[in-house]
Each structure stands twice: as C-alpha cells, then as structure tokens.
Amino acid sequence: MVIAVFLGLNALTIDLTFYEGLTQPLAALKTQASGLMLLVPPLWFTGLYETLLGNKDPMFQALASAALLSIPVSLGALYMTVGLSFRRHLKKFNAAAPRKKFLSSIKESVFPILNKTLLRQPDQRAVFDFYRKTMKSSQIHRARLIGFLAAGSGIILFYLLGWLVSLADLSQVTRISLSIPLIFNLFLILGIRNVANVPSALEANWIFQLTEKNPFRHYVSGLRKGIFFLNIIPVNILFLVIFSLLWDITTAFYLFIYILGISVLLMEAFFARFRKIPFACSYMPGKEKFHIYLGPYIIGFVLYYFLTTSLAAVLLQNPLYLAVFWIGILVSVLGIRLYQNLFYYPYTPIIYEEKIEPVMVTLGSSL
C-alpha cells in the first residue's frame, strides 16, 4: 500500500510538470495548480529551500510550513507503526490457540468439495495444498507478491491522477475504468509467476522427487487450479462488487466474465513452459534480466493495455460477443494443453535444482 501511494504521489508530481508543460516556470505552475502543489511532498521542501534563501512568496512559505510540519508527523508515524508492528509480532509468542475466523471456516468447508470434484488426482491435491498453505504462511512470498500488486496499483493511480479522473468518470464505461481490473490482474499473475520460482521449503522437493510419476501435467494443473480459485476468483469478485456499485449489475457481470477469460489466458501463457514444483525448487536470482528486457516489457504492457481495453469496449455491448470470446479462450487453452501434453511434458523433466550459469565462457580453452 505504501509503495502504491508513493507511486501515485510521483504520478501527481509528473502531472504537475509534464502534463502542464516542461517549459513552464514554477511561477506559472503556482498560478495554474496552486491547490495541487500543497499535496505534493517534493514541492514542500522546494518551498522550504526557497524560504531559507529569503524568498517571501506566500506560496513558498505555505509549502515550507507543510515541510516543517511533515517532519514530526513522519517521525510520529514511524514510531507508531514500528511500535504496532513489534506489538503484533510479540503477541504471536504469547498467543494461545488461534481463533478460527468466519471466512476461514467457510474456506475450509469449500476445500473438501474441491478435492472431490476438481482435484481428484492426488498429485493435483498435493500441489494445490502446498501452494495454498505456503502463500498463507510465508511472509517472504506474500511480501514479494504484494510488491507486484503495489506496482500495478501505482500504475493505476498514475492514470487516475494523471488524467484527473473523478468518481463520476469511473461511473462511465471508459478505457480508464476498464483498465483498472485488467492491469491489476496482469500484475497479480506476473507476481505469482515470479514468487512460484522462489523456494520456501527447499527440502520439500525430496518428497516430490521420491513420489514423482508421469504425467507431469497433474502437478501444473494443481498449481493452475490453485491460482484460479485462490487468487483470480476472489480478486475479480471484489471488482464485480465495486463495479456493480459504479455501473449496473449486468455490465459489471459482463466485465467479470471478460476479466476471467483474460486472466485464464494470461495464466496459461505465463505457465505454459513452467517446469517446477512451486516453492520447492532452487532458484537463481537475476535470471529474469529485467534491465535487458525492460523495453520489450514496456511495449508488451502498452499493447496489452490498448488491446484488452479496446476488446472489452466491444464485447460488453453484446453477451453474444462474450460467448464467442470464451469459445476463443477455450480453443486457445485446448491448443496450449495439446502442445504441453504431446510435445513438452513427455520430453521435459522437472527442474528441482537450477544449475549456476557459467560466469565466463572458456571458448574451448583447456585452462
């Protein structure tokens, strides 16, 4: 949440500079967006700097006052959050038996139904439960996933603040309102794809190695079902509730069906060549090479944004279009599964231990 707010404030700063014109002096920005300037923390300290130099401008003095006030407020917030955090963790040592919450009891009653209907294979149940319990208990993996969600939320705030979108604008079916769940789901699945590589209990891969049997598709199927039922469905139900309040219930439901299709397609694409047991295999940091592929990532994100929002604007007009869209999704998923089951899984072993990439290539030298 803090990262999302930070990115949103940066977006507001960019809005005051780039969107108002890079060539305009600060005085012009002051007259055009004086109210917004008091909301941007970097400008507070600009006002403090100008005031210390002897500038008597009332706006700079107001910004300087905000800067001076922010220092004790920030320190107070720091001590309060640190104190609450330590108190929360100390309670865990003295806590007796944890109380079952109402939602947790509902979830626990749903899982046996899933085991009898959609998770009949023991390999699928093993991976599904291992994924569910690891994401529930591992703070490292949750923090890593929250980082991706915060980045996606920051980009959403960038759009909302950059275009000065109001609640009245969100109540209309526009490209910006349609992009909110699409961007969030993209970063959700990207984050899951990233954290699934990071081991939580590396020694657990021995039980998978000892019990491994063909076909490997059941392992990945258990992971996909875990992502769909534990992450994609709850997040999009929340969006369904939000957009039902902003729009009419029919349009919100059509968007829910469309987002589910896009999320399934993203999940199938990102995990098409996944060859690990999630959280149980070794991981070599830096293999993503983010700095090398930054350009293609940005281009892919822009294409995803324009294609999915444009397609949503067309499909929401007629439920028949959504039916055709889902037929296309099912055909795509079937094609991916045929490729995996016939040409990939039979000839590709599970990666339990990643090999270290050689730092230097010897070019055939015997030294």
Side-chain angles (χ1 to χ4, degrees):
M1 184 63 186
V2 174
I3 300 174
V5 172
F6 176 76
L7 291 175
L9 290 174
N10 282 344
L12 185 57
T13 307
I14 293 173
D15 176 66
L16 287 174
T17 55
F18 286 94
Y19 290 116
E20 295 293 341
L22 286 170
T23 59
Q24 295 187 20
L26 190 59
L29 289 178
K30 184 185 71 172
T31 57
Q32 293 180 12
S34 58
L36 290 177
M37 290 180 69
L38 291 173
L39 300 177
V40 185
L43 292 180
W44 300 347
F45 295 93
T46 302
L48 179 61
Y49 175 76
E50 290 290 335
T51 303
L52 292 175
L53 290 179
N55 195 324
K56 302 298 183 181
D57 189 285
M59 176 57 70
F60 286 133
Q61 291 181 354
L63 292 171
S65 300
L68 294 175
L69 181 63
S70 69
I71 295 174
V73 171
S74 300
L75 291 175
L78 172 65
Y79 284 114
M80 184 178 66
T81 52
V82 170
L84 291 175
S85 298
F86 274 104
R87 183 180 178 185
R88 175 189 172 192
H89 287 285
L90 287 173
K91 280 184 176 180
K92 294 181 179 179
F93 292 100
N94 300 324
R99 297 180 179 178
K100 269 195 172 183
K101 296 182 179 179
F102 178 70
L103 291 177
S104 299
S105 61
I106 293 178
K107 290 180 182 179
E108 294 299 330
S109 63
V110 169
F111 294 137
I113 300 175
L114 288 177
N115 290 338
K116 294 179 180 179
T117 55
L118 300 176
L119 298 169
R120 294 185 177 181
Q121 291 290 335
D123 298 331
Q124 291 186 18
R125 288 198 299 271
V127 175
F128 181 92
D129 289 334
F130 191 63
Y131 171 79
R132 174 174 66 90
K133 294 181 179 180
T134 301
M135 290 298 291
K136 181 180 179 181
S137 61
S138 175
Q139 295 184 0
I140 295 176
H141 291 80
R142 288 206 307 269
R144 199 177 181 106
L145 179 59
I146 288 171
F148 278 86
L149 298 180
S153 301
I155 292 176
I156 293 170
L157 286 175
F158 177 87
Y159 284 121
L160 298 181
L161 295 173
W163 295 99
L164 300 178
V165 178
S166 63
L167 187 62
D169 297 325
L170 290 178
S171 62
Q172 305 295 324
V173 182
T174 62
R175 185 183 293 273
I176 292 180
S177 60
L178 291 172
S179 69
I180 294 175
L182 288 166
I183 293 174
F184 195 87
N185 276 273
L186 172 65
F187 278 86
L188 171 66
I189 299 173
L190 275 174
I192 295 173
R193 180 63 175 83
N194 181 271
V195 301
N197 282 321
V198 180
S200 173
L202 191 57
E203 63 277 5
N205 69 21
W206 285 104
I207 189 64
F208 286 104
Q209 292 188 54
L210 292 174
T211 58
E212 179 188 346
K213 58 183 179 180
N214 291 326
F216 174 57
R217 67 174 183 270
H218 292 308
Y219 294 93
V220 185
S221 179
L223 173 60
R224 283 193 297 254
K225 291 175 182 178
I227 296 171
F228 184 76
F229 288 106
L230 301 176
N231 301 114
I232 294 177
I233 289 291
V235 166
N236 287 290
I237 287 177
L238 179 60
F239 279 118
L240 173 62
V241 173
I242 294 173
F243 282 102
S244 296
L245 299 175
L246 294 174
W247 306 342
D248 60 281
I249 184 64
T250 304
T251 306
F253 181 74
Y254 289 165
L255 179 64
F256 173 75
I257 298 299
Y258 172 72
I259 297 295
L260 283 185
I262 293 294
S263 300
V264 167
L265 194 59
L266 287 173
M267 179 180 65
E268 293 290 339
F270 289 154
F271 287 89
R273 298 176 65 86
F274 189 73
R275 299 167 53 190
K276 290 183 175 182
I277 305 297
F279 314 126
C281 303
S282 65
Y283 168 69
M284 296 299 169
K287 295 193 69 174
E288 294 88 354
K289 298 181 175 61
F290 183 79
H291 60 289
I292 297 177
Y293 299 109
L294 179 60
Y297 288 158
I298 294 176
I299 295 173
F301 173 77
V302 173
L303 290 175
Y304 169 82
Y305 170 78
F306 283 103
L307 288 176
T308 54
T309 53
S310 301
L311 185 61
V314 174
L315 295 180
L316 295 183
Q317 298 176 4
N318 192 325
L320 181 61
Y321 297 160
L322 274 175
V324 175
F325 166 74
W326 259 99
I327 292 174
I329 293 292
L330 294 177
V331 170
S332 301
V333 171
L334 179 61
I336 293 174
R337 298 291 173 81
L338 287 175
Y339 160 74
Q340 291 173 331
N341 296 335
L342 296 178
F343 303 104
Y344 188 67
Y345 291 148
Y347 309 102
T348 306
I350 303 175
I351 298 178
Y352 290 104
E353 303 288 340
E354 282 195 357
K355 296 181 180 179
I356 301 176
E357 294 184 357
V359 179
M360 182 174 58
V361 179
T362 60
L363 298 178
S365 172
S366 60
L367 296 178

